[in-house]
Amino acid sequence: MKGASVVPITVAGLKSACSQCNLQELCLPFGLDDSEINRLDELVATRRKVKRQQHLYRAGEAFEAIYAIRTGSFKTDVILEDGREQVTGFQMTGEILGLDGISSEHHSCNAVALEDSEVCIIPFAKLEELSREVEALQHQFHKVMSREIVRDHGVMMLLGSMRAEERLAAFLLNMSQRFTARGFSPAEFHLRMTREEIGSYLGLKLETVSRAFSRFQEDGLVSVQQKHIRILDIPGLKKLMHHPQVT
Amino acid sequence: MKGASVVPITVAGLKSACSQCNLQELCLPFGLDDSEINRLDELVATRRKVKRQQHLYRAGEAFEAIYAIRTGSFKTDVILEDGREQVTGFQMTGEILGLDGISSEHHSCNAVALEDSEVCIIPFAKLEELSREVEALQHQFHKVMSREIVRDHGVMMLLGSMRAEERLAAFLLNMSQRFTARGFSPAEFHLRMTREEIGSYLGLKLETVSRAFSRFQEDGLVSVQQKHIRILDIPGLKKLMHHPQVT
DNA sequence: CGCGCCTTTGAAGGAGCTCAATTTAGGTGG
DNA sequence: CCACCTAAATTGAGCTCCTTCAAAGGCGCG
């Protein structure tokens, strides 16, 4: 069992190796053949650990790399001058962080770890270089960026057209679906973010989020115990989304 | 003066020629040298006219090309099953439409012309091909996608954290800035969209938009006559954005 | 085990929505 | 050129959903 589950924190041990990673299906390597993934290995040279509550990057910092989440999870947010925070997304393993920085060569938002996490560092100049040679990588990268745009449109729909309970239902269903894609239970999971962060993401106050959770529980849709969520009635939640309660 | 300002409407006359276009600075050619732009000309072979209220593409259609707006303007929107519409953006000349389609090979939103318009058709497979050869094009394309992501985050901020009048102020300042970038007056312009469309974009009802316009007019910030807008006090609007009225 | 942070719940207030009537602009045909 | 017609915009009044303010309870961590 020597060194089985304990990864040494030495710098030398931080080789990434997409070819060895079980997140291939979700991440940048998707669609590449073995030889192409090996070329990715050269590029994704190092990892970085980020402790809970610490920043992976901050708005304003120079942009040099994008990041693939290997373990843990993050939130991204934008802070207005007057201090108001808007959470723009929650990211889990296999998802890519930092795409916002390409446009201006500086990051435009903050990325904060919601738990102790680890990311693969993908130097962007090298990624562009390699994706000029590897068509499948180029295409997959474009899909990743496009997916982010589509996701953002979904959030706009949420924020612009849905009522509080619809928003929370959509949020829960989205989390469920993403946990499922990672081999976890669709019905039972642990939220890493606070009610306030959920509220910020959904354009609601934390009290409203809390009340909506309580209402869902009363209605038998979910079982909530602090951050531990158990979805009891997925169709019920879906129905709630598409049919704004005409009480 | 022979044929100077009148473009013949023949199909043969629809060659695009980025190299001849005065939108280079805003569009995909930005940052390319002359020889590189000439190569773009091969790719951007045809244009397409879209009449007011007509669709450039619809959600669900197969994705094959992205579009650069040559004249006119568009809105993009998502329609929920129950009929609710969320406008996800307004696009003007030089801006790129269709990036949402890359991720799934199908468009995920609708693009509708707000006035009689014309777009350049950029076949996506060819764009990927050329951008593997032309580094500057690759980089510019990535910037365009990233800019869209950053823009979306701004809209989330708007929808999630701002009050009605802040949203409208942000909207007007954004329009002003984009008109300015196109050589038009920062202070005086014509909105091509209805109050309802503005409202959908900002997550408000048309009546609320109308009332906010009236309030701005009372306060001497703008002069509004239906779709004709004249901004009288840009600093005033900016102040309004960052300091939510603590009445 | 105690302290702080997160969460829950209640009660009152307000920003924006709904419903409804009126005005205005732009397009059409006589 | 004017009258007509329809779509868009404005404005008012009452209501609702979410927020604000406040207090109490629970969980986790040092």
Side-chain angles (χ1 to χ4, degrees):
Chain A
M1 293 274 297
K2 184 187 165 198
S5 62
V6 181
V7 177
I9 321 182
T10 58
V11 179
L14 293 180
K15 191 79 179 69
S16 285
C18 298
S19 50
Q20 305 301 316
C21 185
N22 61 349
L23 260 25
Q24 283 180 24
E25 299 300 300
L26 296 160
C27 195
L28 216 47
F30 183 78
L32 309 212
D33 65 33
D34 288 351
S35 73
E36 290 168 337
I37 291 186
N38 286 335
R39 299 202 61 186
L40 244 194
D41 283 352
E42 304 163 25
L43 187 159
V44 185
T46 54
R47 297 192 225 149
R48 176 172 153 196
K49 287 184 190 293
V50 186
K51 283 217 171 303
R52 185 175 130 84
Q53 299 284 33
Q54 288 194 333
H55 286 253
L56 173 59
Y57 56 79
R58 288 171 191 274
E61 284 181 9
F63 166 77
E64 276 160 10
I66 61 175
Y67 306 91
I69 303 178
R70 202 174 154 81
T71 62
S73 53
F74 288 78
K75 70 169 177 182
T76 46
D77 69 12
V78 183
I79 314 271
L80 269 192
E81 310 180 18
D82 55 24
R84 280 178 287 182
E85 177 197 32
Q86 175 68 36
V87 171
T88 54
F90 299 112
Q91 296 80 19
M92 1 202 306
T93 53
E95 294 176 334
I96 304 292
L97 279 162
L99 299 173
D100 56 281
I102 301 169
S103 70
S104 67
E105 325 257 342
H106 290 268
H107 287 289
S108 67
C109 64
N110 306 291
V112 183
L114 293 176
E115 59 192 306
D116 293 357
S117 304
E118 191 172 19
V119 298
C120 298
I121 303 177
I122 307 170
F124 187 65
K126 287 190 184 175
L127 176 66
E128 285 196 327
E129 200 181 313
L130 186 57
S131 72
R132 262 177 269 130
E133 295 174 28
V134 181
E135 186 175 342
L137 175 62
Q138 179 198 39
H139 196 59
Q140 176 61 10
F141 177 61
H142 290 161
K143 283 196 171 189
V144 166
M145 291 207 90
S146 176
R147 196 177 308 142
E148 176 70 17
I149 291 171
V150 173
R151 188 195 69 84
D152 291 348
H153 289 176
V155 178
M156 287 185 211
M157 179 94 236
L158 242 161
L159 294 170
S161 321
M162 293 187 180
R163 344 179 105 269
E165 293 186 6
E166 295 181 83
R167 296 184 199 185
L168 188 62
F171 170 76
L172 289 175
L173 290 168
N174 177 261
M175 292 303 281
S176 164
Q177 181 248 304
R178 285 156 76 195
F179 279 117
T180 307
R182 281 156 186 79
F184 298 109
S185 163
E188 202 165 356
F189 46 84
H190 196 85
L191 297 176
R192 317 310 308 214
M193 67 295 283
T194 67
R195 299 287 188 262
E196 185 166 20
E197 288 164 334
I198 298 173
S200 171
Y201 180 62
L202 299 178
L204 304 168
K205 293 295 160 187
L206 72 292
E207 296 95 327
T208 307
V209 174
S210 181
R211 274 185 253 269
F213 269 127
S214 301
R215 187 108 203 295
F216 286 177
Q217 180 146 293
E218 282 170 37
D219 296 350
L221 294 168
V222 302
S223 153
V224 185
Q225 213 138 23
Q226 306 281 128
K227 291 191 157 69
H228 189 85
I229 305 292
R230 184 173 190 164
I231 303 185
L232 305 172
D233 183 1
I234 290 190
L237 281 179
K238 285 187 178 157
K239 206 189 292 177
L240 205 158
M241 273 189 57
H242 304 304
H243 306 282
Q245 68 277 36
V246 191
T247 29
Chain B
M1 291 277 296
K2 184 186 169 201
S5 62
V6 180
V7 177
I9 321 181
T10 58
V11 178
L14 292 181
K15 191 79 178 69
S16 282
C18 298
S19 50
Q20 305 302 315
C21 185
N22 61 349
L23 259 25
Q24 283 180 22
E25 299 300 301
L26 296 161
C27 195
L28 216 47
F30 183 77
L32 308 213
D33 65 31
D34 288 352
S35 73
E36 290 168 337
I37 292 186
N38 286 333
R39 298 202 60 186
L40 244 193
D41 283 352
E42 304 162 24
L43 189 158
V44 185
T46 53
R47 296 192 224 151
R48 176 172 153 197
K49 287 183 189 292
V50 186
K51 283 217 171 305
R52 186 175 130 83
Q53 300 283 33
Q54 287 193 334
H55 282 76
L56 172 60
Y57 56 80
R58 289 171 190 274
E61 285 180 8
F63 166 77
E64 277 160 11
I66 61 174
Y67 306 91
I69 303 178
R70 205 175 149 80
T71 61
S73 54
F74 287 79
K75 71 169 175 182
T76 47
D77 67 15
V78 184
I79 314 272
L80 270 192
E81 311 181 16
D82 56 23
R84 281 179 285 183
E85 176 196 33
Q86 175 68 37
V87 171
T88 55
F90 299 112
Q91 295 80 19
M92 5 201 304
T93 54
E95 294 175 335
I96 305 291
L97 279 162
L99 299 174
D100 56 280
I102 300 169
S103 70
S104 67
E105 325 256 340
H106 290 268
H107 287 288
S108 66
C109 64
N110 306 291
V112 183
L114 295 175
E115 59 193 306
D116 292 357
S117 303
E118 191 173 18
V119 298
C120 300
I121 302 177
I122 307 172
F124 187 65
K126 287 191 184 174
L127 176 66
E128 284 194 329
E129 197 181 316
L130 186 58
S131 72
R132 263 178 268 128
E133 295 175 30
V134 180
E135 185 176 343
L137 175 62
Q138 178 198 40
H139 195 60
Q140 175 61 9
F141 177 61
H142 291 162
K143 283 197 170 190
V144 166
M145 290 207 93
S146 176
R147 194 176 309 142
E148 177 70 17
I149 291 171
V150 173
R151 188 194 70 83
D152 292 348
H153 290 175
V155 178
M156 286 184 210
M157 179 92 236
L158 240 161
L159 293 170
S161 318
M162 293 187 180
R163 341 180 105 271
E165 293 186 5
E166 296 181 82
R167 296 183 200 185
L168 188 62
F171 169 75
L172 288 175
L173 290 168
N174 177 262
M175 292 302 281
S176 164
Q177 182 250 302
R178 285 155 77 195
F179 278 117
T180 307
R182 281 154 185 80
F184 299 109
S185 164
E188 204 166 355
F189 47 83
H190 198 85
L191 297 176
R192 320 299 325 203
M193 67 293 284
T194 66
R195 298 286 188 264
E196 186 167 20
E197 287 164 335
I198 297 173
S200 170
Y201 179 62
L202 299 178
L204 303 169
K205 292 294 162 188
L206 72 293
E207 296 95 328
T208 306
V209 174
S210 181
R211 275 186 252 269
F213 268 127
S214 301
R215 187 109 204 294
F216 286 177
Q217 180 145 296
E218 282 170 34
D219 296 350
L221 294 169
V222 302
S223 153
V224 185
Q225 213 139 23
Q226 306 278 130
K227 292 190 157 69
H228 189 84
I229 305 289
R230 184 172 192 167
I231 303 185
L232 304 171
D233 184 359
I234 290 189
L237 281 178
K238 285 187 177 156
K239 205 189 292 178
L240 204 158
M241 272 189 58
H242 304 304
H243 305 282
Q245 66 277 34
V246 192
T247 26

